[in-house]
Amino acid sequence: MKQLLILSGKGGTGKTTIASAFIKLSSARVYADCDVDAPNLHLIMNQASVPKKSGYYGMPKAHIDLNSCVHCDLCRQSCRFDAIQADIDYKVDYYACEGCGVCQAVCPAGAVSLKSALAGELMLYVNGSVFSTAELKMGSGNSGMLVTEVKKQMKSAAKDAGLSIIDGSPGIGCPVIASISGVDMVLIVAEPSISGISDMERIIKTAERFHTRIAICINKYDTNLENTKRIESFCEKFYLPCAGRIPYDSDAIVAINKGQSIVEMDCEAGRAAKAVFDKTIKLLFDASLAL
Amino acid sequence: MKIAVLSGKGGTGKTFVSVNLAAAAKESTYIDCDVEEPNGRLFFKPQNIKSENVSVKIPFADQKLCTGCRKCIDFCKFNALAFIINKVIVFNDVCHSCGGCVLFCPEKALSEKDKIIGEVQSGVSENVGVITGILNTGESSGVPIIKKLLNDNPAGKGFTFIDCPPGSACIVMESIKDADYCILVAEPTLFGVHNLNMVYELVRLFKRPHAVVLNKCLEGENPAEEFCREKDIKILGKIPFDSELGILNSNALISVRENQKYRDMFSSMLQIVAKEVLHETVANS
């Protein structure tokens, strides 16, 4: 199964819009949303079925038994994450605790234990197609681990599929790194702004560390033609294939707000997305076109 | 007073709003906590930049002292250590720098060294002190940089604006922890509303006073505005979708410094924020 991951660095350039269009256009029936911090793909991939839900437990959290605590302060002093607060009693800040277990190991009274903690929820829709998604609990860490679980869940439920499409998260940090590992190609949705270009360069550098193939497409290209040309010459200079341009189209917002992908509506952005899709699929399945 | 600007969804205009509010203030500080994609500096183009590296502690082993007891490996909850061909190997990328392995090595064979994960740059752009956290590419967590940004820059006399990362995970929480006020930036789409709801719950969880700025407003219905009405959330201002603003912003120009019309818009927003923060402080004291 070929895995295509959609990333962008900068948020709001159109990852989910492109991913949902690609899912509609492809005959592949396997997809996932790895933006566990702010998942949105489910909003336009209307699911008739009820998902199979399972709790996601990240790292355990420390818990102090106040009856045994001797107020020696060792746990607080040893914690690198400032997760232990000492007021009248010693208390763990669950949001700061990373579950490393140092406090438990230094406590002379055996008052600290590590307890598993719910950090999010995984959802799997299987209804002809396979859709794996998740939502991280607010303020939780370990989003990279949850991303890995989303991909695992997708792979284990998908049989003999030729293609899977994965919607990624913005940024370059742990959830993004976790989403890149093992995919066949990353499609970067760039936006013709100075911020967008800076973020695109940072996500390219990140993806290159994993030796993953990269292609670029430019969304809302007509909002700044000068910057669009800048992105295209950047791609040329670094031998990155450009999969095409998609214009700004207010119809795209209309489609999304109806809970539809842009290719379900007869609009300019939808037609351009189709062309980008065709080129991306060619690049993905024909390795000789990679460079 | 510290004002955090956040949004849940990326690309709704956090940087646009925080940069322009900071520029509209008489004297202010702008702190970019979106360390994975720090873009405020592209607008401010700060001068007299001082940079300081940010590092975390990573263990390394003195193989001569190591007896291969594997206590460190058993202890590490992150599987950052392994014993391969009679040697302790550290996987720097997965290490959380908790220091446990060093603390519990009976032979004192482990010590720590600094690993640089990014930097903090400070500079000045006219009336604004610009402080930027930058995570190196390939590093997984920017939290230590955000902690440094916020610890080293306590709220001063004027406004301090904190440009937050997207999402609602630990990294965002870290950014809003000490904020006096939170501004949520929302765009008028189904996605925008869904993610606005997430950060709305986050600011409520942390009991932070908050209000919404509606960005990229188009003619017709605005799902984000409806959401605010339903939940009775204060709307600080509505910024229209405007191609002039779009061009200024995509060229990394600061709108309030380019056009009086935008200066007026952000100045009036700033006045409402100041009043609100004052009101909150009085209410809570």
Side-chain angles (χ1 to χ4, degrees), chain B residues 152-221:
Chain B
D152 293 358
N153 299 287
K157 261 188 253 154
F159 282 104
T160 298
F161 292 94
I162 302 168
D163 192 355
C164 295
S168 60
C170 55
I171 192 161
V172 180
M173 218 194 58
E174 201 62 54
S175 320
I176 67 162
K177 252 186 187 164
D178 327 301
D180 298 302
Y181 199 80
C182 292
I183 296 177
L184 317 179
V185 185
E187 60 176 38
T189 64
L190 197 60
F191 297 162
V193 175
H194 185 244
N195 299 153
L196 171 62
N197 188 26
M198 297 176 76
V199 279
Y200 169 62
E201 282 179 19
L202 187 73
V203 294
R204 287 212 312 169
L205 184 72
F206 283 87
K207 300 187 177 70
R208 292 280 164 266
H210 53 269
V212 168
V213 169
L214 298 168
N215 194 17
K216 306 187 204 173
C217 295
L218 294 161
E219 297 283 313
E221 55 182 300

Side-chain angles (χ1 to χ4, degrees), chain A residues 74-267:
Chain A
L74 272 176
C75 57
R76 196 188 60 80
Q77 289 167 25
S78 312
C79 178
R80 286 274 175 90
F81 310 105
D82 304 320
I84 294 174
Q85 295 153 355
D87 286 327
I88 306 162
D89 283 322
Y90 280 78
K91 214 175 77 186
V92 177
D93 174 351
Y94 290 118
Y95 293 108
C97 177
E98 299 206 7
C100 69
V102 166
C103 52
Q104 182 188 32
V106 297
C107 178
V112 187
S113 52
L114 290 176
K115 292 193 170 166
S116 69
L118 192 69
E121 189 170 51
L122 280 149
M123 280 151 283
L124 181 67
Y125 297 85
V126 182
N127 182 17
S129 59
V130 168
F131 173 32
S132 175
T133 181
E135 187 160 333
L136 192 71
K137 220 172 112 187
M138 253 181 307
S140 285
N142 307 125
S143 48
M145 277 167 72
L146 181 52
V147 166
T148 306
E149 291 303 318
V150 169
K151 292 203 312 185
K152 250 196 236 162
Q153 179 177 258
M154 178 190 81
K155 268 187 253 171
S156 66
K159 290 180 201 100
D160 313 320
L163 170 70
S164 63
I165 289 164
I166 305 167
D167 191 8
S169 55
I172 58 164
C174 87
V176 171
I177 291 172
S179 69
I180 296 173
S181 90
V183 302
D184 297 281
M185 194 164 104
V186 174
L187 176 68
I188 294 170
V189 183
E191 174 189 283
S193 63
I194 301 290
S195 304
I197 294 173
S198 165
D199 296 349
M200 175 191 80
E201 289 175 17
R202 284 167 69 78
I203 185 66
I204 289 172
K205 263 191 217 157
T206 307
E208 277 175 343
R209 286 171 65 108
F210 295 87
H211 305 287
T212 312
R213 285 166 56 200
I214 299 168
I216 314 280
C217 71
I218 307 168
N219 194 17
K220 308 176 217 173
Y221 83 89
D222 50 348
T223 55
N224 194 323
L225 281 173
E226 210 178 302
N227 284 334
T228 289
K229 284 182 194 135
R230 218 177 275 176
I231 295 172
E232 284 167 344
S233 48
F234 177 92
C235 291
E236 232 167 85
K237 190 173 158 200
F238 292 97
Y239 304 104
L240 294 166
C242 196
R245 299 167 161 192
I246 298 167
Y248 174 82
D249 185 347
S250 56
D251 279 347
I253 297 167
V254 174
I256 299 289
N257 283 350
K258 276 198 235 162
Q260 288 184 341
S261 84
I262 55 171
V263 291
E264 285 166 88
M265 204 166 140
D266 185 30
C267 65

Side-chain angles (χ1 to χ4, degrees), chain B:
Chain B
M1 59 189 91
K2 265 190 178 172
I3 295 155
V5 181
L6 63 164
S7 74
K9 185 176 180 321
T12 63
K14 286 177 297 300
T15 300
F16 167 62
V17 168
S18 45
V19 163
N20 280 286
L21 283 174
K26 214 182 215 171
E27 209 182 333
S28 63
T29 308
Y30 166 87
I31 303 178
D32 201 342
C33 283
D34 189 1
V35 300
E36 293 183 30
E37 310 290 6
N39 289 333
R41 60 187 171 146
L42 303 172
F43 289 81
F44 282 118
K45 304 165 184 74
Q47 308 291 309
N48 306 323
I49 289 186
K50 286 187 202 112
S51 1
E52 195 184 339
N53 284 333
V54 180
S55 48
V56 293
K57 301 266 183 227
I58 292 290
F60 68 97
D62 182 343
Q63 307 292 353
K64 284 195 294 281
L65 295 176
C66 176
T67 57
C69 74
R70 295 173 193 244
K71 283 215 166 100
C72 55
I73 293 153
D74 294 341
F75 177 79
C76 182
K77 303 282 188 293
F78 310 104
N79 302 315
L81 298 152
F83 197 70
I84 302 167
I85 329 174
N86 295 320
K87 256 184 160 178
V88 174
I89 308 283
V90 180
F91 302 110
N92 290 355
D93 291 342
V94 282
C95 175
H96 283 224
S97 310
C98 74
C101 54
V102 178
L103 212 53
F104 304 121
C105 174
E107 311 299 331
K108 306 228 173 316
L110 286 162
S111 3
E112 286 179 301
K113 61 181 177 192
D114 285 338
K115 181 179 88 157
I116 295 171
I117 59 160
E119 63 178 311
V120 169
Q121 288 183 354
S122 327
V124 178
S125 168
E126 296 179 23
N127 54 326
V128 185
V130 180
I131 302 161
T132 310
I134 306 165
L135 181 71
N136 289 345
T137 54
E139 292 297 337
S140 67
S141 172
V143 172
I145 301 177
I146 295 180
K147 277 192 177 162
K148 184 173 171 57
L149 282 168
L150 299 173
N151 286 340
D152 293 358
N153 299 287
K157 261 188 253 154
F159 282 104
T160 298
F161 292 94
I162 302 168
D163 192 355
C164 295
S168 60
C170 55
I171 192 161
V172 180
M173 218 194 58
E174 201 62 54
S175 320
I176 67 162
K177 252 186 187 164
D178 327 301
D180 298 302
Y181 199 80
C182 292
I183 296 177
L184 317 179
V185 185
E187 60 176 38
T189 64
L190 197 60
F191 297 162
V193 175
H194 185 244
N195 299 153
L196 171 62
N197 188 26
M198 297 176 76
V199 279
Y200 169 62
E201 282 179 19
L202 187 73
V203 294
R204 287 212 312 169
L205 184 72
F206 283 87
K207 300 187 177 70
R208 292 280 164 266
H210 53 269
V212 168
V213 169
L214 298 168
N215 194 17
K216 306 187 204 173
C217 295
L218 294 161
E219 297 283 313
E221 55 182 300
N222 184 331
E225 190 171 0
E226 277 164 38
F227 176 85
C228 293
R229 291 241 171 80
E230 243 169 64
K231 303 273 180 186
D232 201 20
I233 309 169
K234 189 176 175 63
I235 296 171
L236 274 184
K238 284 173 79 170
I239 304 171
F241 179 85
D242 165 343
S243 60
E244 189 188 345
L245 266 183
I247 286 281
L248 287 173
N249 209 44
S250 66
N251 285 327
L253 292 168
I254 299 170
S255 305
V256 306
R257 288 185 184 167
E258 300 295 324
N259 187 326
Q260 186 63 35
K261 177 171 81 180
Y262 301 125
R263 176 168 287 277
D264 294 344
M265 181 171 81
F266 280 97
S267 298
S268 67
M269 234 187 271
L270 196 61
Q271 272 170 14
I272 304 176
V273 174
K275 237 186 246 165
E276 285 276 310
V277 175
L278 198 68
H279 175 75
E280 288 292 340
T281 336
V282 173
N284 293 332
S285 60

